Amino acid sequence: MAEYSSDEERFAALVNFFKDNKNILLIVLSVISVFFITSISLNSYNNSQNEKAAEIYDAWFSTFSNDSKDGQDYYNSLQTKYSNTGYAQLATMIKASSLAREGDLDSALIDFLELLDASSGIFGNEMLSSIAKINIARIELSKKNYTDVLKTLESFNSNSEHSLVYEIKGDALLGLQKNDLALDQYSLALENTQNESQKSLIKMKINRVNN
């Protein structure tokens, strides 16, 4: 390690260091500056997008129950201009759930698949993604597409699954006549639920399989 006998020598060494490495230092500073400016710009853009999406979402939601043309226009605007915002994804979830309740399962499935695509990935929304998967699985279950049910739910973390996920898996396995595996899933569902109504339903399913 170099030793310097005076402040002048230290200063001169520092100047020489900057002279020898000025190109590298300029590149590093440029990268940092670009990253900082990009980060600020992106954050500002996202805030602007969310503010505009919030206004359109409020307008859409106020007309949602009326099924009006204005409401459809607001919804289309959300999905085409602000599809990456939580407001657009929330609108898709509400619309898909409404279609499912009305019995239009095919249309609901399309919307839930769109929600899953929009809410998945590194910058996605894990909660909405999980809701989409569960509802897709339930619709596929009603259509007796048991293998598709299991494929939809396989990405859930086995250590943090909701009891409903176990139950739906059990229903699909039962549909595939894999009774022992279905019982395993029903047992896990029973262990992980605190809801008494769900417990009673799961116990009925277990008794039905055993009998």
Side-chain angles (χ1 to χ4, degrees), residues 65-81:
S65 59
N66 300 329
D67 195 27
S68 65
K69 182 182 181 300
D70 286 343
Q72 188 60 47
D73 289 341
Y74 289 133
Y75 182 82
N76 291 340
S77 180
L78 266 179
Q79 302 307 321
T80 55
K81 297 179 182 178

Side-chain angles (χ1 to χ4, degrees), residues 46-62 78 82 85-88:
N46 287 337
N47 288 338
S48 175
Q49 288 289 96
N50 281 323
E51 287 177 4
K52 293 175 182 176
E55 292 178 5
I56 297 174
Y57 172 85
D58 289 340
W60 168 78
F61 191 77
S62 67
L78 266 179
Y82 309 101
T85 66
Y87 292 101

Side-chain angles (χ1 to χ4, degrees), residues 24-162:
I24 294 175
L25 291 171
L26 285 172
I27 291 172
V28 171
L29 287 173
S30 297
V31 170
I32 293 173
S33 298
V34 169
F35 177 80
F36 184 69
I37 293 171
T38 301
S39 178
I40 292 176
S41 299
L42 184 60
N43 187 54
S44 176
Y45 173 77
N46 287 337
N47 288 338
S48 175
Q49 288 289 96
N50 281 323
E51 287 177 4
K52 293 175 182 176
E55 292 178 5
I56 297 174
Y57 172 85
D58 289 340
W60 168 78
F61 191 77
S62 67
T63 63
F64 176 64
S65 59
N66 300 329
D67 195 27
S68 65
K69 182 182 181 300
D70 286 343
Q72 188 60 47
D73 289 341
Y74 289 133
Y75 182 82
N76 291 340
S77 180
L78 266 179
Q79 302 307 321
T80 55
K81 297 179 182 178
Y82 309 101
S83 59
N84 291 327
T85 66
Y87 292 101
Q89 294 168 22
L90 184 59
T92 301
M93 185 195 73
I94 293 172
K95 178 172 171 281
S97 299
S98 176
L99 289 168
R101 284 194 301 271
E102 293 169 0
D104 189 353
L105 298 183
D106 291 334
S107 297
L109 180 59
I110 291 171
D111 282 347
F112 278 124
L113 287 169
E114 289 180 357
L115 175 61
L116 179 60
D117 182 62
S119 60
S120 298
I122 299 174
F123 301 105
N125 185 307
E126 185 177 351
M127 183 184 72
L128 290 177
S129 177
S130 297
I131 291 172
K133 289 176 187 176
I134 289 173
N135 281 283
I136 290 168
R138 293 175 74 173
I139 293 172
E140 296 289 13
L141 185 65
S142 71
K143 294 173 173 288
K144 299 184 179 180
N145 297 330
Y146 304 122
T147 301
D148 290 336
V149 173
L150 298 176
K151 285 181 180 178
T152 300
L153 299 178
E154 67 183 0
S155 61
F156 274 97
N157 186 335
S158 59
N159 294 321
S160 60
E161 286 182 11
H162 191 279

